[in-house]
Amino acid sequence: MKIGFIGLGIMGESMCENIIKKHDDTVYVYDVVPEKAALLESKGAVACGSNREVAEKADMIISMVPKSEHSRAVYQELLPVLDETKTCIDMSTIDPSVSVEISEMVKKTGAAFADAPVVKSKPAAIAGKLGIYVGGDEATYEKIRPILLYMGENVIRMGGNGKGLVMKICHNALVSQIQNGVNETSTLAAANGIDILTFAEAISYGGGQNFYLDSKKAPIAAEDWTTAFSIENMHKDVHICRNLAEECGVAMPGEENAVRVYDEAMEKGYGKEDFCATIKVVRGE
């Protein structure tokens, strides 16, 4: 089975590299930045000149692009070359409703489609230890699961098309609210002379221990905002969550506050920094 991979950004690059290392057939790649495709070609992939060329040559096409409009544009470009021999997996984090729309377009060609967004960040992508939430029918899930396991160690089907994305948005919304709680309480502790590392150790003794604080205490202490997952990407996700909640008639006041923090972080020009840099907003920096 020949695999195609479209979108070689921070996450996509490492996800694709794991496929190249573990798959026993050709992997075709494309990115709008030619140098990114060339890098993967140096690792054993075959670079293509367009999204369409990837889909023409591959049996299974994986996409990992930034926003809803990018996913829609990719699959509109692919439609003329899709048929019942092709399987498409969009691993991008986009609006669930847009993903359902894409799935309907793709399935009309006879091709299979699943959404399979990922959780965790760059180190897990490098290690092949991502969590992956799948939306699609059972047969498609069983077909794609071995390929997804090249990239992740925890893969779960959440339901039909779009449901993987619903779960991803719920996950990231929860992270954003945990993060904001860490930001606020650690800032209060700091105002009383308790540094972030001591704060984190003390939190670990009780029920407040959480993965976000455990993994981000050192970068926060060092004020190291090197990007593993960017503010601009989480900004997109919290807005998707707010839109989804409005569509469903669900009140999420905690997430509204997270949206406010992320909006301010973007306004202050922090968008390219790691999402833990939101603490600067809470500190008033």
Side-chain angles (χ1 to χ4, degrees), residues 3 23 49 59 62 79 152-153 180 199 220-222 248 252 267:
I3 297 175
H23 192 57
D59 305 303
I62 299 170
L79 288 177
E153 61 181 357
N180 208 52
F199 170 83
I220 291 171
C248 298
M252 297 186 70
E267 290 166 8

Side-chain angles (χ1 to χ4, degrees), residues 245-285:
E246 289 175 355
E247 290 171 9
C248 298
V250 175
M252 297 186 70
E255 193 63 7
E256 288 290 347
N257 193 46
V259 168
R260 181 192 62 77
V261 170
Y262 273 92
D263 284 349
E264 187 172 341
M266 293 294 291
E267 290 166 8
K268 289 186 171 180
Y270 302 155
K272 299 295 184 184
E273 297 178 349
D274 188 80
F275 76 135
C276 69
T278 51
I279 196 169
K280 294 190 288 184
V281 174
V282 176
R283 289 171 177 170
E285 297 177 13

Side-chain angles (χ1 to χ4, degrees), residues 27-238:
V27 179
Y28 298 97
V29 298
Y30 175 75
D31 192 275
V32 292
V33 179
E35 292 78 11
K36 292 182 178 180
L39 175 63
L40 271 297
E41 190 165 43
S42 73
K43 297 176 185 294
V46 176
C48 294
S50 67
N51 296 322
R52 178 168 174 156
E53 184 183 352
V54 170
E56 286 173 337
K57 293 180 175 180
D59 305 303
M60 186 173 290
I61 303 109
I62 299 170
S63 53
M64 184 67 169
V65 296
K67 297 180 180 179
S68 295
E69 56 265 35
H70 301 131
S71 284
R72 186 186 283 114
V74 165
Y75 285 97
Q76 285 174 336
E77 183 181 343
L78 302 191
L79 288 177
V81 297
L82 297 180
D83 58 31
E84 66 279 357
T85 68
K86 310 282 187 181
T87 299
C88 300
I89 312 169
D90 189 18
M91 303 189 76
S92 315
T93 299
I94 64 172
D95 290 272
S97 60
V98 173
S99 184
V100 171
E101 172 194 327
I102 293 169
S103 75
E104 291 170 350
M105 291 192 307
V106 168
K107 289 193 289 188
K108 283 179 181 177
T109 70
F113 182 89
D115 52 286
V118 305
V119 290
K120 300 181 184 175
S121 57
K122 181 70 171 179
I126 293 170
K129 294 181 179 294
L130 294 168
I132 304 176
Y133 303 144
V134 182
D137 62 70
E138 188 69 40
T140 300
Y141 172 69
E142 293 300 331
K143 183 175 184 178
I144 69 176
R145 191 171 185 275
I147 307 304
L148 297 179
L149 286 169
Y150 292 156
M151 298 173 277
E153 61 181 357
N154 299 115
V155 180
I156 182 173
R157 177 176 176 261
M158 303 308 304
N161 290 120
K163 296 302 187 286
L165 280 160
V166 169
M167 188 63 238
K168 168 64 183 283
I169 295 306
C170 289
H171 173 278
N172 278 20
L174 180 57
V175 171
S176 73
Q177 293 184 52
I178 292 170
Q179 176 189 62
N180 208 52
V182 167
N183 288 344
E184 292 181 358
T185 55
S186 65
T187 299
L188 179 61
N192 286 275
I194 301 171
D195 66 84
I196 184 70
L197 296 179
T198 305
F199 170 83
E201 181 180 0
I203 290 292
S204 75
Y205 297 170
Q209 184 174 22
N210 62 86
F211 177 81
Y212 175 78
L213 177 57
D214 290 345
S215 63
K216 292 298 184 181
K217 61 188 177 186
I220 291 171
E223 297 192 349
D224 177 5
W225 316 124
T226 303
T227 305
F229 182 60
S230 70
I231 281 176
E232 63 183 358
N233 275 331
M234 187 61 128
H235 177 260
K236 172 198 67 176
D237 294 353
V238 297

